[in-house]
Amino acid sequence: MQDLAGKPVIVRTYEAAKATNLFDEVYVVTDSEVIFQEIEANGGKAIMSQKEHDCGSDRIAEAVENMDIDIVVNVQGDEPFTSREGLEKVLAVFNEPDADKIDLASLMTEIHDWKEINDPNTVKVIVDKDNFALYFSRSPIPYPRDKNVEIQYYKHKGIYAFRKQAIMDFYHLPMRSLEAVEKIECIRYLEYGKNIKMAVSNTAGVEIDTPEDLARANKLLKETKPDTVNNKFRNFPMVPKVVFGAGCFDQLTSILASQKKENAPFIFLVDDVFKDNAEILDRINLRFNDKLIFISAEEEPKTSQVDDLVKDIKSEFTHTPSGIIGIGGGTVMDLAKAVSIMLINKGSAADYQGWDLVKQKAVYHVGIPTISGTGAEVSRTTVLTGPVRKLGINSDFTPFDQVILDPDLTIGVPKNQWFYTGMDCFIHCVESLNGTFLNAFSQSYGEKAYDLCLEIFLGDSLSEEESRAKLMMASWHGGMSIAYSQVGVAHAMSYGLGYVLGTKHGVGNCIVFQHLEEFYPKDVALFKKMVEKHNIEIPQGICKNLSKEQMDTMITVALGMVPLWENALGADWETIITPEKLRELYLRM
Ligand code: NAD
Ligand code: ZN
């Protein structure tokens, strides 16, 4: 009940868990009348537990005994900084191939400071090669007898995800001596032979066990606003080299020459729309063991697709490639970025979805757009659909080392597609320029790109050649504009469509945007003019026959895009965008 920046710690913890949008229901289970009242008074759900319990898991077991649930997650009441990322990771293990073996999952964090490793208040954990827990202890484990062996120490975080059976078993099993002597609850599972899968999460947080912790937490809350990565000063890299102009694609070979490493191939990922296009293919000079892989842009890139490509490349070549060259639209360029990262960084691409999770520099990578609008050629992200979410790998190592902007490559783009992808750029500008995160940096790029879009899509003075070149630069500037701000309503809702229906990004944005008059009145009117002028078909009625479950998922995915809503509508966005509001909007689409 202690105050944390104006609200009791337990209320903060409850709100943080709810805000992740990962759960069907969130409850506070307590034996305290005061806490029960406080949660209910704040509009939350609380359950009074009847009996005296030794630990939180028992209390939760009692609460869920008669609930119909698959997985229950125990978040300790003193963890108000519980992050979506950590909870997602602990849940994601239940989607992995060895999920059948898992009784419960928990989290661990890398620790490096010997003081912390030695501190008995910090519970350490050691794991096997598949990250199943071997033991938990307040002693430093393992003991570093040989100081030259490199070993990573992990601290256990008190977040658990149980299969229902596992928590019920636990409830009925008596405590044994290891648990009793270490005073560590989860040792009981090990003592009874249960499998605990550990996920790694390195997001910082503060558990509140002591008054000093509370003081630190209050300070942390003042300094940082959780979940708003976008309103800090951002120190981001730019594409260091770019060549522009009709025909400049021919310079590719000479550009690559200086990057060639002995025996290490260049891998060209090329949109399969060019499969029979000898004119383009002849200009890619494959040498020695260079390899060209055609990529279908039928579906948007997936983390599993990245993992497969990396596996194939690694099994075919002993040397890490000299470079990855992506030739295509946003789909192929994003794949090229992700593959170049994952050739160096271990694990699955899904492990790196989020902000700044990539630790090692990617393989040299080159982006060559063949359609304009997404800004993927200049951005710091690669948007991927993973097992639990659609989210970019946003890191300093994501941007291309080299970009080749040749407007002639976009000549064959079909009209509808030209419009959908071009509108991605227009909408990036609208959302950036009308957002609360706007600053002079974003504005200067956004306004230029916006004006270019109006000239291209509403003007009558441009030749086709000029129009291609200008759209290529609009895409670039639009991408730069959102680098220092954020997108908004159309993107958040389009992500929902993409996740549930597989609707592609560009067309999804258009489907949504035409119904957003109340958020972007002037620009929706302009958009409609553009649609009319170019005689474009925007699909209609795509949400009419959704099941309740699909609709709920769509709403959950859209609501999960917190920074986008914050940018669009400010900190109080949740009072405007409720699940009901989103349902009503989606039903119009
Ligand atoms: P795309 O890459 O999916 O391609 C769309 C269609 O156009 C495909 O059928 C493709 O084969 C075809 N095409 C491409 N170039 C062509 C050409 N020259 N001639 C004929 N056909 C051609 O489309 P997109 O809109 O560029 O990219 C969408 C993807 O970009 C989505 O996956 C989205 O998530 C991603 N995206 C990424 C970022 C980022 O910053 N990384 C930003 C926005 C969107
Ligand atoms: Zn976009």
Side-chain angles (χ1 to χ4, degrees):
M1 288 299 296
Q2 290 289 318
D3 181 81
L4 179 57
K7 288 183 186 176
V9 173
I10 185 68
V11 173
R12 293 249 171 229
T13 306
Y14 180 79
E15 287 178 351
K18 242 183 113 65
T20 63
N21 280 316
L22 290 169
F23 306 108
D24 294 319
E25 297 289 353
V26 179
Y27 297 97
V28 171
V29 187
T30 178
D31 62 354
S32 150
E33 190 67 37
V34 179
I35 288 180
F36 182 89
Q37 303 281 342
E38 183 67 31
I39 295 296
E40 296 239 302
N42 277 279
K45 292 185 182 169
I47 297 174
M48 271 309 267
S49 71
Q50 301 300 326
K51 304 178 196 123
E52 280 288 311
H53 291 293
D54 295 331
C55 62
S57 305
D58 282 354
R59 198 178 300 290
I60 288 174
E62 184 206 309
V64 300
E65 191 153 22
N66 297 315
M67 287 187 193
D68 178 22
I69 54 163
D70 306 313
I71 290 173
V72 56
V73 177
N74 175 357
V75 177
Q76 317 269 11
D78 60 3
E79 298 242 2
F81 296 99
T82 299
S83 72
R84 181 183 167 92
E85 183 247 336
L87 289 170
E88 259 177 352
K89 285 196 165 157
V90 84
L91 287 172
V93 303
F94 291 98
N95 288 325
E96 285 168 14
D98 60 4
D100 286 352
K101 286 198 284 180
I102 302 173
D103 296 302
L104 66 150
S106 190
L107 277 185
M108 59 186 187
T109 301
E110 291 175 8
I111 45 174
H112 304 276
D113 181 359
W114 187 247
K115 258 207 339 254
E116 196 174 10
I117 296 168
N118 243 331
D119 181 352
N121 288 316
T122 303
V123 174
K124 273 72 63 180
V125 53
I126 47 176
V127 293
D128 72 7
K129 69 175 195 348
D130 298 319
N131 277 357
F132 281 99
L134 294 169
Y135 191 59
F136 299 86
S137 181
R138 295 182 185 277
S139 303
I141 47 172
Y143 180 82
R145 169 74 173 78
D146 183 342
K147 300 277 188 297
N148 295 315
V149 176
E150 239 182 80
I151 182 86
Q152 177 63 59
Y153 282 86
Y154 290 102
K155 154 171 133 179
H156 181 219
K157 278 201 187 177
I159 289 173
Y160 300 93
F162 299 89
R163 289 195 188 281
K164 183 172 178 186
Q165 193 56 49
I167 196 167
M168 295 322 298
D169 287 353
F170 180 82
Y171 188 30
H172 297 121
L173 294 170
M175 189 190 294
R176 296 182 57 87
S177 54
L178 289 176
E179 176 186 355
V181 68
E182 292 253 21
K183 287 227 175 319
I184 301 175
E185 203 176 311
C186 50
I187 293 181
R188 189 180 315 176
Y189 303 102
L190 296 179
E191 291 186 271
Y192 286 99
K194 302 266 184 218
N195 294 323
I196 310 181
K197 178 92 169 190
M198 303 300 295
V200 184
S201 163
N202 288 323
T203 17
V206 182
E207 286 169 37
I208 303 179
D209 298 325
T210 63
E212 295 79 61
D213 290 345
L214 188 67
R216 266 203 303 156
N218 262 311
K219 193 158 164 262
L220 195 76
L221 259 192
K222 275 191 203 111
E223 281 168 4
T224 60
K225 280 173 122 194
D227 280 331
T228 52
V229 257
N230 296 288
N231 46 19
K232 290 179 209 154
F233 298 111
R234 311 182 70 190
N235 186 9
F236 62 85
M238 301 210 204
V239 171
K241 286 196 145 183
V242 52
V243 37
F244 171 83
C248 73
F249 183 52
D250 285 329
Q251 237 161 282
L252 176 62
T253 306
S254 69
I255 287 172
L256 293 183
S258 64
Q259 299 296 329
K260 176 77 184 170
K261 298 202 183 84
E262 211 181 332
N263 295 323
F266 283 108
I267 312 285
F268 296 81
L269 305 182
V270 180
D271 191 313
D272 69 2
V273 76
F274 298 112
K275 217 167 193 163
D276 301 314
N277 189 328
E279 210 204 313
I280 300 278
L281 296 180
D282 284 350
R283 293 160 77 189
I284 302 173
N285 289 304
L286 297 182
R287 311 218 161 157
F288 311 111
N289 54 357
D290 290 352
K291 187 179 170 86
L292 190 155
I293 303 172
F294 285 112
I295 303 285
S296 162
E298 189 76 37
E299 289 184 8
E300 301 200 329
K302 298 191 179 55
T303 54
S304 57
Q305 187 184 8
V306 175
D307 294 345
D308 289 346
L309 277 165
V310 168
K311 205 170 96 208
D312 291 349
I313 294 170
K314 281 189 168 168
S315 65
E316 186 169 345
F317 300 99
T318 41
H319 291 80
T320 304
S322 294
I324 306 293
I325 297 96
I327 305 177
T331 298
V332 175
M333 286 192 287
D334 275 2
L335 267 179
K337 290 179 183 178
V339 166
S340 71
I341 289 169
M342 294 312 301
L343 279 167
I344 303 289
N345 292 273
K346 291 198 194 106
S348 161
D351 302 338
Y352 299 91
Q353 285 179 283
W355 272 269
D356 295 314
L357 301 174
V358 180
K359 295 275 150 37
Q360 308 222 46
K361 191 174 182 319
V363 169
Y364 173 78
H365 48 303
V366 181
I368 308 181
T370 64
I371 179 170
S372 300
T374 63
E377 64 279 11
V378 70
S379 77
R380 188 182 182 267
T381 189
T382 156
V383 183
L384 301 174
T385 304
V388 285
R389 60 190 160 175
K390 184 172 171 188
L391 187 65
I393 298 181
N394 198 316
S395 82
D396 274 358
F397 306 117
T398 309
F400 287 114
D401 297 294
Q402 168 81 56
V403 168
I404 296 181
L405 296 178
D406 183 343
D408 281 357
L409 294 179
T410 67
I411 286 177
V413 176
K415 182 145 186 202
N416 275 339
Q417 187 63 55
W418 162 79
F419 188 82
Y420 299 149
T421 301
M423 281 304 111
D424 193 21
C425 174
F426 179 67
I427 295 170
H428 288 163
C429 299
V430 171
E431 296 188 323
S432 163
L433 292 171
N434 291 285
T436 60
F437 295 177
L438 188 67
N439 52 51
F441 188 106
S442 288
Q443 190 175 8
S444 61
Y445 284 105
E447 281 174 350
K448 186 68 219 177
Y450 182 87
D451 291 346
L452 285 168
C453 285
L454 294 186
E455 199 182 349
I456 295 160
F457 292 100
L458 283 178
D460 286 311
S461 59
L462 296 179
S463 70
E464 287 204 359
E465 196 182 343
E466 286 168 328
S467 168
R468 279 196 297 272
K470 291 200 172 193
L471 188 53
M472 202 154 242
M473 288 322 296
S475 175
W476 183 276
H477 283 75
M480 284 302 295
S481 178
I482 43 177
Y484 223 115
S485 63
Q486 192 40 283
V487 284
V489 181
H491 275 76
M493 293 193 68
S494 170
Y495 273 124
L497 291 180
Y499 194 84
V500 175
L501 296 173
T503 313
K504 296 198 68 181
H505 186 81
V507 68
N509 284 348
C510 291
I511 292 170
V512 174
F513 196 69
Q514 58 182 339
H515 297 289
L516 299 184
E517 291 94 345
E518 65 179 289
F519 304 105
Y520 309 110
K522 170 174 92 79
D523 295 308
V524 172
L526 286 172
F527 173 82
K528 288 183 172 165
K529 267 196 200 157
M530 297 181 197
V531 172
E532 198 177 77
K533 179 173 163 87
H534 297 285
N535 205 5
I536 301 295
E537 300 145 39
I538 311 276
Q540 306 288 341
I542 64 165
C543 293
K544 263 210 308 256
N545 299 318
L546 289 183
S547 68
K548 178 177 180 308
E549 203 177 17
Q550 282 179 311
M551 179 59 91
D552 288 345
T553 308
M554 201 176 268
I555 291 170
T556 305
V557 170
L559 282 177
M561 312 304 297
V562 174
L564 282 64
W565 294 111
E566 267 196 24
N567 174 45
L569 304 166
D572 293 332
W573 65 272
E574 276 171 302
T575 58
I576 306 167
I577 296 297
T578 58
E580 294 68 45
K581 173 78 188 173
L582 277 183
R583 184 181 327 257
E584 180 218 313
L585 280 169
Y586 272 131
L587 283 174
R588 285 190 226 161
M589 289 160 193

